[in-house]
Amino acid sequence: MTDDQRTAALWEQAKNALLRRVARTDDAGRAEALAAFVGMARPDLGAEAVRVVAETTPRLLPSLTEKWIGLFVDRLFETVPLPQIEMLCDGTEENEAALALAYVMFLESERMEKQMAEDLAAVNLPAGEGGGDLAADVCRRLAMVEEKRRQDSWQKAEAYKAARGKAN
């Protein structure tokens, strides 16, 4: 096997390992991870609102996932020596997790934040699948959650006031 063939095979191996890892995240695990992230980023929302945001966040288009993984693997091969890449691609769970962690860190880079924003803005979804419909649904559901929270607070205050009145 030539060096070019070896490099190409490793490139595919790294890409496929990351694609498998992304694909094996089921909807429940995905919603749980999103809820944890949103809850940490916006603790003011409350548990029910966080759940709504997590449940309504759409999956990424597979083409974007593949593109971003490809950009990461390209950058990996530009910056990491081949023997280390071979180690990351040895098929062990620990090294696959390290590869996935490096990918997540890559996604958090300033370069990728810009790239992701450009890619997401360029996606033209057909009517009924666009962000406007989704945003309207999320806003409606969040308004319902907020109204329920307000009603619960009001009922709690009334109950407290009534209990306090009986004590006097």
Side-chain angles (χ1 to χ4, degrees), residues 11-135:
W11 195 96
E12 283 297 318
Q13 207 172 344
K15 180 188 88 167
N16 290 333
L18 290 169
L19 286 171
R20 278 192 311 274
R21 197 157 188 99
V22 168
R24 74 178 177 206
T25 303
D26 63 1
D27 286 336
R30 182 178 165 281
E32 183 181 329
L34 282 168
F37 173 77
V38 172
M40 211 169 44
R42 292 288 310 272
D44 59 309
L45 285 181
E48 189 65 19
V50 165
R51 185 187 61 74
V52 168
V53 171
E55 287 177 355
T56 56
T57 300
R59 284 195 169 277
L60 280 177
L61 297 171
S63 60
L64 291 180
T65 301
E66 286 188 39
K67 176 183 180 178
W68 298 340
I69 287 174
L71 291 171
F72 166 73
V73 175
D74 285 344
R75 186 71 180 140
L76 185 73
F77 276 79
E78 291 170 5
T79 57
V80 176
L82 209 52
Q84 289 178 336
I85 295 173
E86 287 175 326
M87 189 183 308
L88 286 172
C89 296
D90 69 2
T92 63
E93 182 63 29
E94 295 83 15
N95 285 332
E96 186 178 296
L99 184 66
L101 178 60
Y103 173 60
V104 169
M105 292 169 63
F106 173 78
L107 290 177
E108 292 175 347
S109 70
E110 186 176 334
R111 170 187 170 208
M112 279 308 295
E113 284 182 8
K114 181 180 176 191
Q115 181 68 55
M116 288 188 291
E118 288 173 8
D119 290 346
L120 291 170
V123 173
N124 292 321
L125 296 175
E129 296 177 26
D133 293 344
L134 177 63

Side-chain angles (χ1 to χ4, degrees), residues 126-146:
E129 296 177 26
D133 293 344
L134 177 63
D137 182 54
V138 171
C139 288
R140 180 186 57 77
R141 291 179 64 185
L142 287 174
M144 289 171 42
V145 166
E146 181 58 24

